[in-house]
């Protein structure tokens, strides 16, 4: 009897950890299926938010599948709209600015004295001391979609 009870309890526990699927009906009668991740982890990629690249709205881009050196935490931050990854264009080492091309959208990137540099260049002087045109970078910070600007909190040179 004990092995049967143990098997039933184990099955119930495993079932309670599975994502829940719920169907709701909208006002116009359309059925909408929603999956809820019950593991307690906010995973926007697994839940569909940012699951694919979207050039018209880069704020929902997934960066988890692009084979760069960013950590999973950094990738998740960027996937939920706190940063972007792309290629450096219009590099100006003197003004310490550049344009980031991400999914064919361009963002004018500026830094502050608090901006952190990681990867192949760990200071502003190292980063801007060499022409970084066409370099691959990840930039976290404040994105202004309307003005196509990004004030960098952290820049990671890949």
């Amino acid at each position: 009897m004990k092995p049967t009870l143990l098997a039933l309890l184990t099955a119930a526990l495993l079932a309670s950890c599975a994502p829940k699927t719920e169907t709701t009906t909208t006002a116009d009668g359309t059925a909408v299926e929603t999956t809820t991740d019950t593991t307690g982890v906010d995973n926007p990629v697994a839940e569909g938010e940012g699951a694919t690249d979207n050039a018209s709205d880069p704020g929902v881009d997934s960066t988890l599948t692009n084979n760069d050196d960013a950590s999973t935490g950094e990738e998740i931050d960027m996937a939920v709209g706190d940063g972007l990854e792309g290629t450096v264009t219009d590099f100006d080492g003197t003004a310490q600015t550049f344009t980031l091309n991400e999914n064919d959208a361009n963002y004018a990137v500026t830094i502050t004295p608090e901006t952190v540099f990681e990867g192949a260049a760990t200071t502003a002087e190292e980063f801007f001391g060499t022409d970084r045109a066409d370099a691959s970078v990840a930039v976290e910070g404040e994105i202004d979609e309307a003005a196509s600007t990004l004030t960098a909190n952290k820049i990671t040179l890949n």
Side-chain angles (χ1 to χ4, degrees), residues 47-116:
E47 294 170 4
E49 171 79 11
T52 59
D53 284 340
N54 181 347
S56 65
D57 186 2
V60 299
D61 288 340
S62 170
T63 59
L64 293 170
T65 59
N66 61 0
N67 298 322
D68 68 5
D69 295 328
S71 70
T72 301
E74 291 169 335
E75 296 285 15
I76 291 172
D77 284 348
M78 285 183 275
V80 297
D82 293 336
L84 302 169
E85 292 185 74
T87 306
V88 172
T89 61
D90 300 326
F91 183 83
D92 185 343
T94 304
Q96 294 190 334
T97 62
F98 61 92
T99 300
L100 178 70
N101 179 274
E102 197 265 351
N103 283 339
D104 298 324
N106 292 308
Y107 295 87
V109 178
T110 58
I111 66 167
T112 67
E114 291 79 32
T115 301
V116 175

Side-chain angles (χ1 to χ4, degrees), residues 1 4 25 27 31 35 53-55 67 78 87 117 133-134 148-149 158:
M1 175 97 165
T4 304
T25 306
T35 301
D53 284 340
N54 181 347
N67 298 322
M78 285 183 275
T87 306
F117 291 84
D134 298 323
S148 294
T149 61
N158 298 324

Side-chain angles (χ1 to χ4, degrees), residues 19-63:
K20 306 293 184 223
T21 302
E22 192 176 314
T23 303
T24 56
T25 306
T26 62
D28 66 357
T30 305
V32 177
E33 190 171 286
T34 313
T35 301
T36 305
D37 184 359
T38 59
T39 61
V41 176
D42 183 17
N43 186 345
V45 175
E47 294 170 4
E49 171 79 11
T52 59
D53 284 340
N54 181 347
S56 65
D57 186 2
V60 299
D61 288 340
S62 170
T63 59

